[in-house]
Amino acid sequence: MADNSLQENRLSLARASLRQALARYSYLRQGKKNSNNTELEAALQTQLDILTSTSEKLDHNVIRIATFGLVSRGKSAVLNALLGQKILQTGPLNGVTQWPRSVRWTIPSIPTADGTEKIQVELIDTPGLDEVGGEVRGEMAKQVTRQADLILFVVAGDITRTEYQALCELQTAQKPLILVFNKIDLYPELDRKAIYESLQALGNSEQLAADAVTDKEEWDDLDDRQNNIPAPKSTAKPPAKIAKSLEIVMVAAEPAPVQVRVEWSDGSVTHEWESPPPQIDELKHTILTILNREGRSLLALNALVEARDAETNLAHQVLKLRQTEADDLIWQFAKYKALAVGLNPVAFLDIMGATVADLALIRSLSRLYCLPMTGYEAGKLWQTIFSSAGGVLLGELGSSFLLGFGKSAAAVAPQIGFSTFAGVAVTQASLAAYGTYAVGRAAQVYLERGCTWGPLGQDTVIQEILATIERNTIIDRLQQEFKIGN
């Protein structure tokens, strides 16, 4: 089990990171309309709501477990068995569950350094993936997956092509996933064992990521197969190794009624149908083990990843919202810098003044967007300027040295003539203005990309947590999936 104080520290870091992000964008909640673009305003509000709900989830220690699967696989029955009572509706007809629904699952308190801490668990039931329309299904699954900390994928036998593709898509969500083999009471022992071994082979194949987008034609006849799932032939590059965290658990959430013989005191014998108790202990034990060992770390990481995506989208929307103001700001700095550089006759002052103006522009853009210019961003900004746009900037600096002296000579030596001074000044001013434009555009790019770095930035905290993850845990196996954007 992970050290409790370490898990608490990870939660504290995640909470602090999200509070900082919310404070950064608090001005957007003050009701001031900054744009006539209602669609843009709505997009901003959506991302703010995601950031707020994620922060509240962290504050209340809420872990969400979502179920996915096709129609009639027993998703609702699995959750009812975990709850110990029939809360979610089940039945013989397809499509009993029409919309995602969450219920609270009471579990034992988790011991901490200060005693015990109550972790709240929400179980999310979802409609069958093959029932709702493709576009609606995709959006629904995306939203539920984003909110989930742990995923249960329920099957009821050999996996079908549709289930395989859905499992591929869910695996790319970078969330721990348990493959639940339900309705095992319907299979003889040998068949049950064969199906389990087939599912194990699927989990160990490490083909899920690549096969989610390629070679689908080779699986058209998969629905008719009842034994093993063959690996498709492909000459593509090796797929990403994202299936190692797949765990398989066998359950009978709602066993079929069995006929029992009843002998009465008067000697008569009758036969009645009786429902056996659910076989759910293995799944319950697996989930509770994960929650006790690394539940709070999973909660912290998933919240940070969700907040990182939301803040990245927020930064993008803020840049669009402030685009006109930013363009005016860059144009003003370009004009004033060009005027100052063109009229100034001293070469060294040209260079110093141009550099100060560019730094002031970066600072002004940072304030306009309310996005921090971190050390990470500053380094990448200057690296980009000197590499990709370096020719423009170096040309400006070189012209300052070469043409600046020419300007100085023209200013102190009347025989050179005003036309020479003016020609040199116009050339240098044009280079200075274009250099400011390049700096402004580069600053916009890195203000947007680097918003999740810096002290308590989501990417920074994610790296700190992953650097201390214990070996042989689900997070350890998923570690390569928590991609840190550059």
Side-chain angles (χ1 to χ4, degrees):
M1 182 183 299
D3 182 75
N4 287 317
S5 61
L6 191 57
Q7 290 208 67
E8 291 169 18
N9 181 58
R10 292 165 184 164
L11 270 180
S12 298
L13 282 173
R15 291 182 182 123
S17 178
L18 265 70
R19 290 191 187 111
Q20 175 181 271
L22 283 170
R24 181 179 298 155
Y25 300 101
S26 60
Y27 72 96
L28 294 173
R29 291 192 178 278
Q30 296 175 357
K32 299 177 181 179
K33 293 297 181 182
N34 299 297
S35 169
N36 293 324
N37 190 332
T38 56
E39 183 178 347
L40 183 57
E41 294 280 356
L44 277 169
Q45 189 60 49
T46 298
Q47 300 305 320
L48 280 172
D49 290 343
I50 292 175
L51 206 56
T52 301
S53 64
T54 304
S55 180
E56 292 173 349
K57 174 186 168 186
L58 265 183
D59 289 337
H60 292 92
N61 292 331
V62 179
I63 292 181
R64 295 192 173 106
I65 302 175
T67 59
F68 290 95
L70 304 191
V71 169
S72 298
R73 296 308 191 260
K75 300 180 298 296
S76 301
V78 168
L79 297 187
N80 284 336
L82 289 173
L83 293 166
Q85 52 185 321
K86 191 171 182 177
I87 294 179
L88 301 169
Q89 185 181 1
T90 62
L93 299 178
N94 292 343
V96 174
T97 303
Q98 296 293 328
W99 300 101
R101 179 185 175 187
S102 64
V103 292
R104 187 63 54 86
W105 181 28
T106 303
I107 64 171
S109 298
I110 294 177
T112 65
D114 301 325
T116 58
E117 181 178 3
K118 193 70 174 178
I119 284 187
Q120 303 181 57
V121 178
E122 284 186 8
L123 303 177
I124 304 177
D125 192 19
T126 61
L129 292 173
D130 55 338
E131 182 179 24
V132 293
E135 186 175 340
V136 175
R137 178 188 68 190
E139 185 61 29
M140 178 271 296
K142 182 178 178 181
Q143 291 181 5
V144 174
T145 303
R146 175 180 56 79
Q147 299 172 6
D149 300 294
L150 178 65
I151 295 173
L152 307 180
F153 192 85
V154 182
V155 298
D158 267 323
I159 197 167
T160 67
R161 174 177 174 270
T162 303
E163 286 173 323
Y164 185 86
Q165 293 176 358
L167 188 57
C168 291
E169 295 171 4
L170 288 172
Q171 279 280 311
T172 63
Q174 304 175 346
K175 302 293 178 73
L177 189 148
I178 299 175
L179 185 59
V180 181
F181 175 18
N182 189 26
K183 303 187 179 182
I184 60 173
D185 57 300
L186 302 182
Y187 296 91
E189 182 65 29
L190 288 178
D191 291 347
R192 184 190 311 174
K193 183 179 179 181
I195 294 173
Y196 181 78
E197 290 175 351
S198 176
L199 295 174
Q200 278 187 317
L202 172 70
N204 294 329
S205 68
E206 298 180 355
Q207 297 288 326
L208 293 179
D211 292 338
V213 293
T214 60
D215 297 331
K216 289 184 179 179
E217 293 81 3
E218 298 187 28
W219 295 85
D220 286 337
D221 61 343
L222 186 59
D223 289 327
D224 299 328
R225 303 182 189 275
Q226 295 298 320
N227 295 309
N228 294 326
I229 300 176
K233 299 178 181 179
S234 175
T235 57
K237 62 182 180 179
K241 298 180 180 181
I242 65 169
K244 285 188 175 182
S245 58
L246 189 65
E247 297 193 25
I248 304 169
V249 178
M250 296 192 294
V251 303
E254 196 173 37
V258 295
Q259 194 175 49
V260 297
R261 185 173 184 271
V262 180
E263 296 184 1
W264 300 93
S265 57
D266 61 359
S268 61
V269 176
T270 61
H271 293 82
E272 298 181 0
W273 290 95
E274 184 177 286
S275 297
Q279 301 175 36
I280 201 70
D281 289 345
E282 184 182 354
L283 177 60
K284 185 180 295 186
H285 174 75
T286 300
I287 294 174
L288 293 180
T289 298
I290 293 172
L291 296 185
N292 279 276
R293 183 180 60 193
E294 49 191 317
R296 284 164 291 171
S297 298
L298 273 174
L299 176 59
L301 276 173
N302 285 330
L304 286 166
V305 170
E306 187 174 357
R308 178 186 66 185
D309 294 342
E311 185 165 9
T312 300
N313 290 330
L314 267 173
H316 179 69
Q317 299 296 339
V318 166
L319 259 67
K320 290 174 63 176
L321 186 68
R322 304 289 196 188
Q323 186 62 52
T324 301
E325 297 168 80
D327 289 342
D328 291 342
L329 186 64
I330 294 173
W331 174 237
Q332 288 177 9
F333 269 87
K335 287 191 299 183
Y336 294 136
K337 179 182 171 183
L339 185 63
V341 169
L343 295 179
N344 176 53
V346 182
F348 288 108
L349 291 181
D350 284 349
I351 299 171
M352 294 177 60
T355 303
V356 170
D358 288 343
L359 292 175
L361 171 60
I362 295 171
R363 184 181 179 88
S364 298
L365 286 172
S366 177
R367 288 180 173 177
L368 174 65
Y369 296 133
C370 293
L371 295 173
M373 177 58 71
T374 64
Y376 167 84
E377 295 171 275
K380 297 291 267 185
L381 173 61
W382 288 112
Q383 177 183 342
T384 299
I385 291 174
F386 282 107
S387 58
S388 64
V392 175
L393 188 58
L394 290 177
E396 179 186 347
L397 295 178
S399 298
S400 296
F401 276 111
L402 298 177
L403 301 180
F405 281 116
K407 255 190 334 183
S408 300
V412 299
Q415 66 272 18
I416 295 179
F418 177 78
S419 60
T420 301
F421 179 90
V424 173
V426 169
T427 302
Q428 194 176 22
S430 300
L431 287 170
Y434 190 81
T436 297
Y437 175 83
V439 170
R441 291 304 181 209
Q444 288 178 310
V445 170
Y446 283 104
L447 280 170
E448 177 182 353
R449 292 182 180 177
C451 63
T452 58
W453 290 90
L456 291 180
Q458 288 89 40
D459 278 320
T460 303
V461 177
I462 288 173
Q463 281 193 333
E464 291 179 8
I465 291 177
L466 291 179
T468 61
I469 286 300
E470 300 79 4
R471 301 282 297 179
N472 300 319
T473 61
I474 282 185
I475 298 178
D476 181 44
R477 286 176 284 174
L478 285 170
Q479 189 162 166
Q480 297 304 315
E481 298 178 42
F482 286 95
K483 301 298 183 184
I484 309 298
N486 292 320

